[in-house]
């Protein structure tokens, strides 16, 4: 995928995720997500932040978090989550077409972020959403290559990951196979899709 195609996919995923969120009940917004310590509301709020982030704001947030990246992500999501549900949905809808990355963010980070976090919300709610296959391959390659914060190559050392519905594989060792989107979630440190995979257990 080239840059234009990736942004088109990000826009499409943001729009679809906004529609998913708009259809949730008040109770569903309080469901635990796959992100430890976050409900659906915190994940949704987190997705609205990157398109509007500035260098100055990021520096202030990092300072408030006492130099911890993970603490910064958590604190900013929780602050944003205090807003009304309708405002969070409107912000995510409004980010469609905003082709701006957060400071330090790469384009493939942005693609992976929207696809993985949508699953973080949808799976616990029992809502079936599928990642676009070509974009999932891009995300899988990216997750395998980067270290922080997922460290997929270290966690999955000794395994060969093979997609059964896409032309994608990586690693060496015991074969772990299944749908590409289930592998993407595994690479991102989630265990929820392990039942869809063979060759690995939770």
């Amino acid at each position: 995928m080239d840059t234009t195609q990736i942004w088109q996919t990000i826009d499409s995923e943001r729009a679809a995720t906004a529609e998913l969120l708009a259809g949730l009940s008040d109770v569903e917004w309080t469901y635990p997500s796959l992100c430890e310590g976050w409900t659906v509301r915190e994940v949704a709020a987190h997705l609205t932040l990157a398109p509007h982030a500035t260098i100055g704001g990021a520096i202030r947030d990092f300072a408030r978090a006492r130099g911890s990246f993970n603490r910064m992500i958590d604190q900013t999501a929780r602050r944003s989550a205090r807003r009304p549900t309708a405002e969070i949905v409107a912000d995510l809808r409004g980010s469609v077409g905003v082709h701006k990355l957060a400071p330090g963010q790469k384009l493939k980070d942005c693609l992976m972020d929207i696809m993985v976090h949508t699953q973080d919300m949808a799976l616990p709610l029992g809502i079936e959403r599928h990642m676009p296959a070509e974009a999932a391959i891009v995300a899988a390659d990216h997750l395998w290559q980067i270290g922080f914060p997922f460290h997929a190559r270290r966690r999955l050392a000794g395994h060969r990951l093979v997609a059964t519905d896409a032309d994608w594989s990586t690693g060496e060792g015991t074969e772990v196979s299944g749908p590409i989107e289930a592998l993407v979630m595994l690479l991102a440190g989630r265990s929820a899709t392990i039942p869809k995979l063979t060759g690995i257990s939770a």
Side-chain angles (χ1 to χ4, degrees):
M1 297 178 75
D2 61 24
T3 297
T4 298
Q5 291 171 321
I6 292 176
W7 273 122
Q8 288 173 342
T9 302
I10 291 168
D11 284 341
S12 176
E13 291 296 295
R14 284 174 172 171
T17 300
E19 289 308 307
L20 182 157
L21 291 168
L24 298 183
S25 68
D26 290 344
V27 171
E28 286 173 318
W29 277 80
T30 70
Y31 272 42
S33 74
L34 297 185
C35 297
E36 186 176 355
W38 282 5
T39 65
V40 168
R41 177 176 289 277
E42 278 83 42
V43 178
H46 168 73
L47 287 174
T48 69
L49 298 176
H52 310 291
T54 63
I55 293 175
I59 291 171
R60 287 192 298 272
D61 289 334
F62 195 63
R64 287 193 193 105
R66 303 189 304 280
S68 167
F69 175 80
N70 289 334
R71 189 181 295 118
M72 178 184 72
I73 296 299
D74 183 64
Q75 290 177 349
T76 54
R78 291 183 187 280
R79 283 200 302 271
S80 181
R82 295 173 190 151
R83 297 175 297 154
T85 296
E87 186 176 324
I88 295 172
V89 173
D91 266 8
L92 188 55
R93 281 200 183 110
S95 69
V96 175
V98 179
H99 296 174
K100 176 179 176 293
L101 299 172
Q105 188 182 43
K106 296 181 174 61
L107 181 57
K108 291 178 182 178
D109 294 330
C110 187
L111 176 68
M112 175 271 297
D113 206 47
I114 182 64
M115 293 198 303
V116 169
H117 281 319
T118 295
Q119 296 294 321
D120 286 336
M121 297 182 288
L123 289 173
L125 291 169
I127 297 173
E128 188 172 282
R129 280 288 308 277
H130 294 292
M131 296 179 185
E134 190 175 3
I137 290 172
V138 172
D141 280 336
H142 184 59
L143 284 162
W144 185 254
Q145 291 300 321
I146 63 175
F148 179 83
F150 304 109
H151 303 288
R153 277 181 292 178
R154 186 178 68 196
R155 285 189 296 104
L156 298 168
H159 294 87
R160 176 167 177 76
L161 311 185
V162 180
T164 54
D165 58 351
D167 184 16
W168 185 84
S169 62
T170 195
E172 296 181 357
T174 304
E175 183 172 303
V176 176
S177 61
I180 184 64
E181 64 186 17
L183 291 169
V184 168
M185 296 302 286
L186 178 68
L187 287 161
R190 277 63 168 175
S191 60
T193 58
I194 285 178
K196 298 181 180 180
L197 302 170
T198 60
I200 193 169
S201 56

